[in-house]
């Protein structure tokens, strides 16, 4: 664990404490959850009909060897390969 010695404004700390209590968490746990959620990688939601690669991608041969089942079960892979 990293100790940073960061000092928070008293009013900010009080607001964090109130929100943490509402969620039944410690202040530290609440702050960590905020930081994690604000820095997580976000992949867009993809509708099943969007998983089909377009003709351009298919013409590149990028999709060769990747079973359609893999693309259907992994929207992140389908998204990355569609870009």
């Amino acid at each position: 664990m990293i100790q940073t010695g960061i000092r928070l404004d008293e009013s900010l700390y009080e607001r964090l404490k109130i929100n943490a209590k509402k969620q039944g968490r410690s202040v530290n746990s609440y702050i960590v959850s905020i930081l994690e959620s604000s820095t997580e990688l976000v992949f867009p939601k993809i509708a099943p009909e969007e998983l089909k690669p377009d003709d351009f991608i298919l013409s590149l041969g990028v999709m060769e060897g990747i079973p359609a089942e893999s693309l259907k079960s992994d929207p992140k892979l389908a998204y990355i390969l569609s870009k």
Side-chain angles (χ1 to χ4, degrees):
M1 177 177 281
I2 298 173
Q3 295 287 330
T4 62
I6 295 173
R7 298 213 179 261
L8 296 176
D9 178 68
E10 188 66 31
S11 66
L12 173 59
Y13 181 76
E14 289 302 316
R15 291 191 316 257
L16 289 167
K17 198 161 77 169
I18 290 167
N19 288 339
K21 187 174 183 177
K22 285 179 185 176
Q23 291 189 10
R25 305 175 90 145
S26 68
V27 174
N28 186 65
S29 171
Y30 180 68
I31 291 171
V32 168
S33 72
I34 292 170
L35 292 172
E36 285 177 341
S37 68
S38 68
T39 58
E40 72 181 330
L41 296 174
V42 178
F43 288 93
K45 301 277 187 224
I46 301 173
E49 59 273 6
E50 295 177 28
L51 291 176
K52 183 175 180 261
D54 61 26
D55 291 335
F56 176 71
I57 296 293
L58 291 172
S59 73
L60 295 174
V62 174
M63 304 304 275
E64 284 182 26
I66 301 176
E69 299 83 36
S70 295
L71 294 174
K72 287 181 181 178
S73 66
D74 190 346
K76 292 177 187 175
L77 174 63
Y79 173 77
I80 290 167
L81 293 176
S82 71
K83 293 297 172 189

